[in-house]
Amino acid sequence: IQAKPYLHEEACAPVQAMKLSFVYLFILVSSQKSIVRAIVPDYTLDTVSRCGWSNDRSSTTVLHADANSDGDNVTDTVNYRKDNKAMAFLRRKGIVGQTKAQDFINAMGVDEGPVGKSFADNVSKEGMKVVRKARGAYVECTASGTVDDLSEPFPFTSSGTQWAGVTDRVMGGVSSGSLTRETVEGRLANVLRGKVSLDNAGGFVQMATDLALDPAVASVDASQYDGIEIELYYGGSEKKESFNVHLRNLACIRQFSSYRATVELESRRWTRVRLGWDSFRGYGPGAENIAIDPSTLRRLGVVAIGKKMIFSLALTTVHFFTET
């Protein structure tokens, strides 16, 4: 008879331990929520446009426009509520949710410069971490003639370098955008979406990649070719829009120095553009008034610049070409 209370207490111990575990878990989650709220700032995204096109997405854009939008001039304002800040933080870190896009809405960067502080981790559409192959497994772009044919997982190029997004925020601008891998009109493409603002002396959004496979070399010799061939798709509301292709070489001594060529694209159609070396004009210290030297190319960028716009721009292949 005396043993019964002892046995009863022993049987109840797991239940009591479980209750304590739930209490501790509740306290832990509550404290973590407070930490997350302290880390994630309260902000509201600018009005952005999906410039709607029908596609099968393999990455999810971070601009959060209406998923049902199919118009040519649709804008959506996204307000992050305080109650959703913790979940938004976890999604950006890849802990929950679908495949992340490269989000550089708040990135720091200059024209042709590094992507900045918010460069996203590399995640495949299955949600697995993308592992870059060994450098020796790639063929450098000048050896193959191909900068990128999108055969490698996003954001890597087929020549072993990496796509990144750049905005004007480091110079005080307020432009914003995102870079994703999607299917556009039946073709796999890198898709740059953005809002270019001229406020605070800014005015550009771009996707860019280095050209040299070996960072120690820093440049490639493309002098055996006659120029760059690139396939682009403009998905905006205007019938036509102009974008730039920028090249940097060793002569570009400032981050905003580059060689620039302008292309005009019709809306809603893929366009193959050939740009000979003589199409590029030097801009900025080191490049201005000097013809481009293709034997020391370092970086290539596709840029929305110099005009207030909300746009979508897709890229599917980048090659060097030789006139025959």
Side-chain angles (χ1 to χ4, degrees), residues 10-287:
E10 183 175 292
C12 292
V15 176
Q16 294 172 349
M18 184 177 296
K19 289 181 179 179
L20 287 174
S21 297
F22 279 114
V23 171
Y24 293 148
L25 180 61
F26 176 79
I27 294 172
L28 178 61
V29 170
S30 298
S31 63
Q32 291 298 319
K33 186 175 181 180
S34 299
I35 293 171
V36 169
R37 288 184 181 277
I39 293 173
V40 182
D42 186 15
Y43 65 92
T44 301
L45 292 181
D46 293 330
T47 300
V48 295
S49 173
R50 286 291 293 275
C51 303
W53 55 42
S54 176
N55 54 39
D56 175 24
R57 292 166 177 261
S58 57
S59 294
T60 305
T61 182
V62 296
L63 295 183
H64 300 288
D66 183 3
N68 296 319
S69 168
D70 58 1
D72 287 345
N73 191 22
V74 179
T75 59
D76 297 271
T77 302
V78 181
N79 296 316
Y80 278 86
R81 298 180 180 178
K82 291 183 179 180
D83 290 344
N84 293 330
K85 289 191 295 184
M87 187 60 69
F89 174 78
L90 295 176
R91 285 196 183 99
R92 287 199 301 274
K93 292 300 181 182
I95 298 172
V96 298
Q98 298 179 351
T99 302
K100 295 182 295 179
Q102 287 188 14
D103 171 12
F104 52 101
I105 286 174
N106 296 312
M108 302 288 284
V110 297
D111 189 18
E112 320 298 344
V115 68
K117 62 183 180 182
S118 63
F119 186 81
D121 292 337
N122 305 319
V123 182
S124 71
K125 71 177 183 178
E126 291 81 14
M128 301 297 291
K129 189 82 171 182
V130 175
V131 179
R132 185 177 182 178
K133 296 187 301 188
R135 186 184 302 167
Y138 294 98
V139 178
E140 193 166 68
C141 60
T142 50
S144 65
T146 300
V147 176
D148 195 12
D149 60 11
L150 275 65
S151 58
E152 291 296 317
F154 182 77
F156 299 114
T157 69
S158 57
S159 56
T161 57
Q162 189 168 345
W163 288 104
V166 185
T167 71
D168 56 22
R169 296 211 170 206
V170 75
M171 53 187 291
V174 296
S175 299
S176 59
S178 67
L179 180 59
T180 61
R181 175 69 58 82
E182 304 176 15
T183 300
V184 179
E185 296 294 330
R187 305 184 68 176
L188 194 62
N190 288 344
V191 180
L192 181 70
R193 286 187 176 87
K195 179 181 180 181
V196 178
S197 172
L198 303 182
D199 293 345
N200 298 341
F204 69 85
V205 175
Q206 76 163 319
M207 57 176 149
T209 180
D210 291 331
L211 296 174
L213 179 57
D214 185 355
V217 176
S219 67
V220 298
D221 183 356
S223 58
Q224 70 269 37
Y225 300 102
D226 296 317
I228 291 284
E229 181 178 283
I230 188 168
E231 292 187 81
L232 300 168
Y233 182 104
Y234 166 56
S237 58
E238 301 295 330
K239 291 183 177 179
K240 293 182 179 180
E241 190 59 87
S242 294
F243 297 90
N244 278 10
V245 177
H246 291 187
L247 293 173
R248 280 176 58 82
N249 65 7
L250 296 182
C252 300
I253 59 177
R254 297 287 181 87
Q255 284 187 307
F256 59 85
S257 300
S258 59
Y259 288 88
R260 307 181 178 186
T262 300
V263 298
E264 186 177 67
L265 303 176
E266 294 184 11
S267 181
R268 311 293 172 180
R269 58 173 295 181
W270 281 104
T271 303
R272 180 176 296 179
V273 179
R274 277 195 167 192
L275 298 169
W277 302 131
D278 57 0
S279 300
F280 292 87
R281 297 289 180 266
Y283 177 89

